[in-house]
Amino acid sequence: MSTTKFDRSVLEQMLTKRFFYAPSNSIYGGVAGFFDYGPPGTALQSNIISLWRQHFVLEEDMLEVDCSIITPEEVLKTSGHVAKFADWMVKDLKNGEIFRADHLVDGFFEAKLEGDRLAREAESGEAVATTTSTDKPPKKSKKKNVVVNIKLEDSVRAEYEEIRAKMDNYGGEELGEIIKKYNITSPEANNPLSAPKEFNLMFETAIGPSGQLKGYLRPETAQGQFVNFKKLLEFNNDKVPFASCHIGRSFRNEISPRSGLLRVREFMMAEIEHYLDPEDKSHPKFAEVRSRKLRFLSSATQLSGKTDLTELEIGQAVDSKLVDNETLGYFLVRIYLFLIKIGIKPDRLRFRQHMANEMAHYACDCWDAEILTSYGWIECVGCADRSAYDLTVHSQKTKEKLVVRKALAQPLVYQKTQLNINRKVFGSQFKKDAKIVEDHLNSLSEAQLDELSQQLQTSLTITASNGTNYELTKDMLSIERVEVREHVREFTPSVIEPSFGIGRILYALLEHSFWAREEDEQRGVLSFPVAIAPIKCLILPIANRAEFSPIINDIGRRLRKANLSSRVDDSAASIGKRYSRNDELGTPFGITVDQATLQDGTVTLRERDSTHQIRADLATIIGILVDLVSESTSWPQVTAKYPIISQPDAEE
Amino acid sequence: MSTTKFDRSVLEQMLTKRFFYAPSNSIYGGVAGFFDYGPPGTALQSNIISLWRQHFVLEEDMLEVDCSIITPEEVLKTSGHVAKFADWMVKDLKNGEIFRADHLVDGFFEAKLEGDRLAREAESGEAVATTTSTDKPPKKSKKKNVVVNIKLEDSVRAEYEEIRAKMDNYGGEELGEIIKKYNITSPEANNPLSAPKEFNLMFETAIGPSGQLKGYLRPETAQGQFVNFKKLLEFNNDKVPFASCHIGRSFRNEISPRSGLLRVREFMMAEIEHYLDPEDKSHPKFAEVRSRKLRFLSSATQLSGKTDLTELEIGQAVDSKLVDNETLGYFLVRIYLFLIKIGIKPDRLRFRQHMANEMAHYACDCWDAEILTSYGWIECVGCADRSAYDLTVHSQKTKEKLVVRKALAQPLVYQKTQLNINRKVFGSQFKKDAKIVEDHLNSLSEAQLDELSQQLQTSLTITASNGTNYELTKDMLSIERVEVREHVREFTPSVIEPSFGIGRILYALLEHSFWAREEDEQRGVLSFPVAIAPIKCLILPIANRAEFSPIINDIGRRLRKANLSSRVDDSAASIGKRYSRNDELGTPFGITVDQATLQDGTVTLRERDSTHQIRADLATIIGILVDLVSESTSWPQVTAKYPIISQPDAEE
C-alpha cells in the first residue's frame, strides 16, 4: 500500500464527495456539532454495530436493553449529572462570544510554545521537535491564536509546558487565575474575558403540557441500565455476574464542538454494564485471553511525565496489579479484539490508564482504549470499574433494594446479643409510654445491652429519649447471647463499564483504512475489512447498453438472496473511473459484465486492494463471493485456484 | 391453538414479568409516555428492524441515512411543524389539570351514548349493540366519565354520534363551542374548563452555551432526508426514481399519553421517502405484485358512514383509481408482505384511505395500514403521496435547487421571442441609467416584447420603473422569434412516503402472537415466527448438576458459532416450568440435556407451539436447528424424518 503522507483534507474531501457524512441541515447553514450519515456512513455504522452485537452481546450472553433518551431530572440529580456534568466557559466581554475555558487557555500557551519552537529553529538553523510533557492533542479552540516567533527563557518554557500538562486538573478558579495572571484575552478579537462560569452539558427540555416537569436528553446510556437493574437481575434468574448493554444516541451540549466526528453534540454509543461480586472480580474466561499482549500507558508513567508504552501480556498486567482485576483485564482484551476485527491498526492502538485525579472518586481503575489519528491519540473506548457507586445512590434515593442475594457455600455463624421484650407486661406497666421505652431499648448497642443485662438483676431505672425515667424489672425483658446462622450474603454489585464512542471509532477507522494508489495519488481507497464494508459488491456493465440489463438485474437478485448488499454503477463514466469511485466507498469486490458475458456467461471478479481480477461463470463467481464475505475463503486462496487475468479494460 | 378469549391484562402481566418492556425510570415513579425495552423486547425490536432492512433497504437498493435528532427551529418552521404540529388542550379552571380537548369531548359523548345503550338494553331486556358511525377506538381520556343509564331521544343520539364521527375535523374553536353548548366539565372533578389552547407537540431545547439557538427533537425522520436530497440524488448518479430511508427515534410531547406502547412520547420509526417523476408514477416491479389481494376501506365508504372492507387485487385498485398510482400500490403490497412476514395476522390487517379532510392539503392520496388490536384498529404504517411539497418549501426557503434534471428522449422544440440588447450603444446612450432601462425591458412578457417589436420601427419612448422616460432606437436592440430546443427537463420530484411506527407494530404483534395452552390457561405462549423470535434456542439441563456443565457450554459455543442467540435456563425450577417460562419469551426451540446425553451424546429438540420433541445426537440437532432458523426446513419436515418421542419428563 501507499507510503505517501496522510493528508486529512484529502480524506475529508473524499468522504464528503461520497457522502459518508456531512454537517446536518447544511442547506440551512447547519449548526456545529451535528452530523448526518449518508448511505455509506450509515451502512458502515450499522455494520460496526452488528459486529459489536456479535462480538459482545451474543458471545457473552449480555442482556441488551433499549431505554428512553429523555430522562426526568430526578434520575440525573441522583447520578450526579445535574450538579457535575459541566465544563467551564468564558465570555468575550465586548462581543459576547463564548469559549470553553480550558481550550482557550491551552490554545494561548500552545501558540507561545510554537512561537518559541520556531524562534529556536530559526536560531539553530534546523528543525526542533516540539516537546511537551504530554502527547495529548492540543486543545485547540476554533479561533486561531497568533503565533509570533519569540524565543522564551528555558524556565518560562518549562512553566508553560507544565500548565498545559496539568490542564485536565484545573477547575474554574484556577483557570480564572491563569487568565488574569497571563493577561489572556479572546483569540483574534483580543478582548478581555469574563471569569469562568460553569455550563452544564446536558440538553434540557420540558415534558408534558404543563411545562413544569424538567427532563434532559441522556448524556450516557448507563443510567437507563442502572435504574432497570432489579428487573435485569430477575431476568438473569437472580445470578451475578452478568452484563447488560445498550446501543443508542446520547447528547452533550458541547460549548464549542470541533474536530469533525470527534467532538459532537449528538453521538452513537454502545455501553456495557457488567455486574459482579465486589469480593470476586475473577472472570471465568480470563484463562482464554491471559497471554494476549496489549500496549499499556500506565498512570505511573504519565505522572513521571513520560508516554512510553509497555507491552505486556494481560495475565502479567493483572498479576502485577497494573490492571486492577481479571474482569477489567478480560474486557480490555475483548475491546482490543473488537477494534482489530473492524480494521483498527494494532500499532495505532494503546490502553491509557486514568490518573487518580482524572477518575471519578468512586472508580477503582479506569483504562481508555486510545486510537492514534491525525488529531492525536483519541479516547474511543473507556473501560472503568465504577465500583458499587451508581446502584448505591439510586437505591438510597428511591429506597428500592438494588442488591444481589448469594447463597453461601458455608453458612456464616456468629454470636450476637439479642433483646426480647415481654410486650404484655410492658403494655400493662407503661401504657402509652410503652413504645418510647421499647424504642430506647432497641436503640442500644450490643455492648450497652450486655451492660444492661448485668445490671438488671432485679430492677433498674433508665432515662428514655423524652427525659422521663422508667423502672425496668426482670420479668419485662430478657437479654441473651444467641448463635446466628446466615445462609445468604446480600451485596450491592460492582460495575465494570466498557463504553464505546461509535462515531469516534468510525472516524479513526476511516483514517486507518485510507490510502492512495501509488501510481495515482488521486485514486483514494478505503480498505475496510469485508465484514464492515458498506457495500460488499459493485456490479458494473462494461458499457451502459440495454443487452446487459437482464444480466445486471439477475446478479443483483442473486446477491440479495445471499443477503449481500450490492450497488450497480451503470453510469457513463469509464470503467476505470467507476472502479475508482467504488474504491472510495471501500467496496471490496466488483463483478464486471462485458461482451464475453453475452457469449459464454462468464464475468470477472475484481478485488479492491490488489485490483486483480479473475474470470469464471456467474454461478461460480457468486459462490466465491459468498465465501469471501463469510470469510470461509480469502482472496489469495481464490487466486491460487483461479488465475489472475490480464485486464482487457485497463484501469488507468 | 387456544380459543379462549383474549385478555389484555393477562398478556400485559406476562410481558412485564418477562421484561419485554416497562415504564422508564419506574423506580423513580416514571413519567407517562416513556418505556424501556428489556432484553426480549430489545431483541424483538432489533429483529423486526433487521427484517425491515432486508425487506426494504436491501431489496429495493434504498439509500439509508442516519440524521440528527436535534433539529434547528428554522428547518421545522419551513416544514410547517412549528406552526401546525399541535393538539388542542383545555385546562380544569379549578385544579389546573390539563386534558387533550378532542379526547375529553369524545369521552363525554361516549359516556352519554353508553348510558343510552344500557338504558335501552334494560328496557328491551336484551343486549343492544353499540352503533357509532365510525369504528375508531374511543378517544378515551385517562379520567373516567361517569356512565348513567339514561335513554336519549333518537334524534339526540344521532346528534351525539355525528359529533363523535366528525371529531378529527374539529379545530379549537369548534371544540370550544361544543364544550360550551353541552356544558362539558372536567371528568371526575366536574370543574369548568378553559377555552381550548393550541399546544405544540415538539420537545424544545436550546443548543449551545448562549441559550439563544432554539432546537426541537425531531417529530419525524422525514425532514432529515429532505434536507439531504441533493446529496442523495448525486449519490444515486442523478437518477430518479430512488428511495432514501431512515430508522430512528422520534419524539412527540403528547398531552396525555396512554394505551401502553400505542401513544408514547418517544418512539422508534422507520421511514421511506421514495422520490419519483410527478409525471410518471409507474413502478417497474408493479407487475410482480399486481395480483396480490388487499383489504381496503376507501374514503368513499367511510364518508357514507360504513366500515365494510373491499378485497381487491392491487392491480384492480390502481386501474380503478381507488389507489392513486402504481408506486403507491406497490408499496401497499410491500408493507402488507412485511407485516405478514413478521407475524401480523392477515385477517386483522386492513388499508384505510384518509378522507380529504384528514390529509395534509398537499397530499394526493394516503393510506394507513391499520392493525386490529384490543384497542381497536390502530394505524401502524402510513403510506402517503406527499407530492413535491417538502422539497419545494425547503428549496424556496434555502434557495438551494432541489430538482432532478432528466434527459428528454425527444428534445422539446418551441418558438420564443428573444430580446437582444446592444450593450455598447445602450451604455453610451443611457450611461448610469442603462441598467434601469435594461431591467425594464427584461421584465416585459413575450407578448409585450412582440408589441414593442412592432412599434419599434425607428424610435420609441418608454417609461421605466423609476418613472423616467427613455427613448429607444432600432440600433439599441433587436427582438426576434427564435427556435428553442430543450434536451433536459427539470422538475421537483414527488415523494411517496411509507412511514412505520415500530413500537405500535411490535405491540400489535405481541397481541397477535399470544395464546394460552388449552390444557392450562396459565401457560401463555408467544408464537413469533422464528426469524424475529428474541431468542432462537433454549438450552436446559434436566437438572442443575455439574456433570452437565461442559455439554451446556459446548452447545452454547456451537450455537454462537452459527450466529444463533440462545439462553441457558439451569435454574432449580421444574423442567415444565422452565419450558413454560421460555414459551412466554417466544423461544421457538429448546435443547434438553439429560441422563442419556451423558451416555450416548443425544439430546432432545422441542418445538414451542406443538411441544413435540425429537431426539438425536447433538451435531444432528444443531444442524436441524440451523436449517429451521434459516427456514430451509420446517418442523413438520423434521418430524417426518425424526419420530416424535414420548416425553419422559411430562410438561404438566
Side-chain angles (χ1 to χ4, degrees), chain A residues 449-461:
Chain A
L449 282 176
D450 287 340
E451 202 188 322
L452 196 73
S453 171
Q454 284 173 358
Q455 293 168 354
L456 186 70
Q457 289 313 319
T458 47
S459 80
L460 172 70
T461 304

Side-chain angles (χ1 to χ4, degrees), chain B residues 94-378:
Chain B
K94 281 198 179 147
N95 66 24
E97 204 176 347
I98 293 168
F99 303 91
R100 192 168 140 177
D102 57 345
H103 290 181
L104 176 125
V105 169
D106 190 69
F108 174 84
F109 290 107
E110 186 202 4
K112 295 277 183 211
L113 287 165
E114 179 63 9
D116 171 66
R117 194 183 64 81
L118 292 172
R120 283 170 193 248
E121 203 173 288
E123 202 180 87
S124 73
E126 60 184 58
V128 176
T130 322
T131 51
T132 58
S133 56
T134 72
D135 65 343
K136 288 190 190 164
K139 300 185 180 301
K140 265 185 208 124
S141 96
K142 277 201 296 189
K143 297 261 163 152
K144 284 272 168 46
N145 288 280
V146 182
V147 174
V148 189
N149 294 18
I150 297 179
K151 189 179 164 183
L152 305 172
E153 295 291 322
D154 282 1
S155 65
V156 172
R157 191 167 72 157
E159 182 186 328
Y160 289 2
E161 282 174 352
E162 199 186 326
I163 292 173
R164 289 197 72 200
K166 289 185 179 166
M167 200 57 69
D168 283 343
N169 295 343
Y170 295 136
E173 204 171 321
E174 289 97 331
L175 289 167
E177 278 162 16
I178 294 171
I179 289 170
K180 236 183 226 160
K181 181 170 170 194
Y182 295 93
N183 279 316
I184 302 179
T185 53
S186 63
E188 292 185 15
N190 284 321
N191 293 325
L193 295 164
S194 74
K197 210 183 123 184
E198 234 173 5
F199 174 68
N200 193 295
L201 297 179
M202 292 194 293
F203 284 100
E204 190 182 317
T205 194
I207 307 169
S210 75
Q212 301 305 305
L213 184 59
K214 211 189 258 188
Y216 295 98
L217 306 194
R218 65 176 174 220
E220 57 176 25
T221 66
Q223 302 306 322
Q225 298 177 64
F226 296 142
V227 297
N228 281 308
F229 173 73
K230 206 178 162 183
K231 294 191 190 77
L232 290 165
L233 179 66
E234 207 180 302
F235 189 85
N236 203 51
N237 294 337
D238 296 316
K239 282 188 264 188
V240 288
F242 76 95
S244 63
C245 68
H246 192 300
I247 302 165
R249 295 271 176 100
S250 290
F251 299 79
R252 296 188 187 184
N253 197 3
E254 294 286 350
I255 293 171
S256 50
R258 67 218 161 81
S259 313
L261 293 187
L262 298 184
R263 188 173 298 279
V264 292
R265 287 173 164 155
E266 189 175 330
F267 49 95
M268 181 63 79
M269 69 194 310
E271 284 190 307
I272 295 165
E273 310 296 334
H274 181 92
Y275 311 93
L276 75 178
D277 187 338
E279 291 177 12
D280 177 12
K281 295 188 175 177
S282 67
H283 194 286
K285 295 205 237 167
F286 189 70
E288 293 173 22
V289 304
R290 258 206 98 80
S291 60
R292 168 69 58 181
K293 281 188 176 161
L294 300 181
R295 305 196 309 159
F296 297 100
L297 173 57
S298 72
S299 76
T301 306
Q302 295 168 74
L303 285 174
S304 72
K306 300 212 178 87
T307 57
D308 308 312
L309 300 183
T310 314
E311 192 164 352
L312 273 182
E313 289 183 3
I314 192 69
Q316 297 171 283
V318 169
D319 292 345
S320 67
K321 279 278 158 199
L322 171 61
V323 171
D324 186 73
N325 59 69
E326 277 192 3
T327 300
L328 196 56
Y330 177 76
F331 276 114
L332 295 188
V333 173
R334 294 293 298 166
I335 291 165
Y336 172 89
L337 293 174
F338 170 72
L339 293 174
I340 300 307
K341 198 191 264 181
I342 64 166
I344 294 298
K345 304 287 175 233
D347 60 343
R348 288 186 249 172
L349 174 57
R350 73 179 185 190
F351 288 88
R352 188 180 73 79
Q353 189 172 33
H354 278 208
M355 292 174 281
N357 46 32
E358 256 182 288
M359 272 193 293
H361 64 91
Y362 51 80
C364 308
D365 194 6
C366 183
W367 290 85
D368 286 343
E370 292 188 334
I371 305 178
L372 187 61
T373 71
S374 62
Y375 292 97
W377 286 99
I378 299 299

Side-chain angles (χ1 to χ4, degrees), chain A residues 28 66 69 204-205 249 266, chain B residues 66 69 204-205 249 266:
Chain A
Y28 281 84
D66 192 19
I69 287 172
E204 189 183 317
T205 194
R249 295 270 176 100
E266 190 175 328
Chain B
D66 192 19
I69 286 173
E204 190 182 317
T205 194
R249 295 271 176 100
E266 189 175 330

Side-chain angles (χ1 to χ4, degrees), chain A residues 388-399:
Chain A
Y389 178 76
D390 304 274
L391 294 178
T392 305
V393 293
H394 283 302
S395 177
Q396 280 166 354
K397 179 73 188 177
T398 61
K399 311 290 173 221

Side-chain angles (χ1 to χ4, degrees), chain B residues 12-110:
Chain B
E12 279 178 345
Q13 236 180 324
M14 193 182 96
L15 295 175
T16 304
K17 190 172 61 177
R18 296 292 160 234
F19 198 10
F20 272 82
Y21 58 87
S24 299
N25 302 296
S26 55
I27 62 171
Y28 281 84
V31 175
F34 294 97
F35 289 89
D36 290 346
Y37 287 7
T42 303
L44 188 62
Q45 175 183 260
S46 134
N47 293 342
I48 290 173
I49 287 173
S50 159
L51 219 69
W52 193 91
R53 274 211 178 94
Q54 236 176 69
H55 186 84
F56 290 104
V57 187
L58 193 66
E59 188 62 34
E60 317 279 349
D61 285 332
M62 292 179 179
L63 305 184
E64 188 182 342
V65 294
D66 192 19
C67 303
S68 291
I69 286 173
I70 296 179
T71 310
E73 184 177 35
E74 223 189 329
V75 177
L76 293 162
K77 267 188 177 161
T78 306
S79 68
H81 286 91
V82 171
K84 288 180 200 154
F85 192 68
D87 278 340
W88 294 96
M89 62 179 188
V90 288
K91 211 182 207 166
D92 180 315
L93 289 173
K94 281 198 179 147
N95 66 24
E97 204 176 347
I98 293 168
F99 303 91
R100 192 168 140 177
D102 57 345
H103 290 181
L104 176 125
V105 169
D106 190 69
F108 174 84
F109 290 107
E110 186 202 4

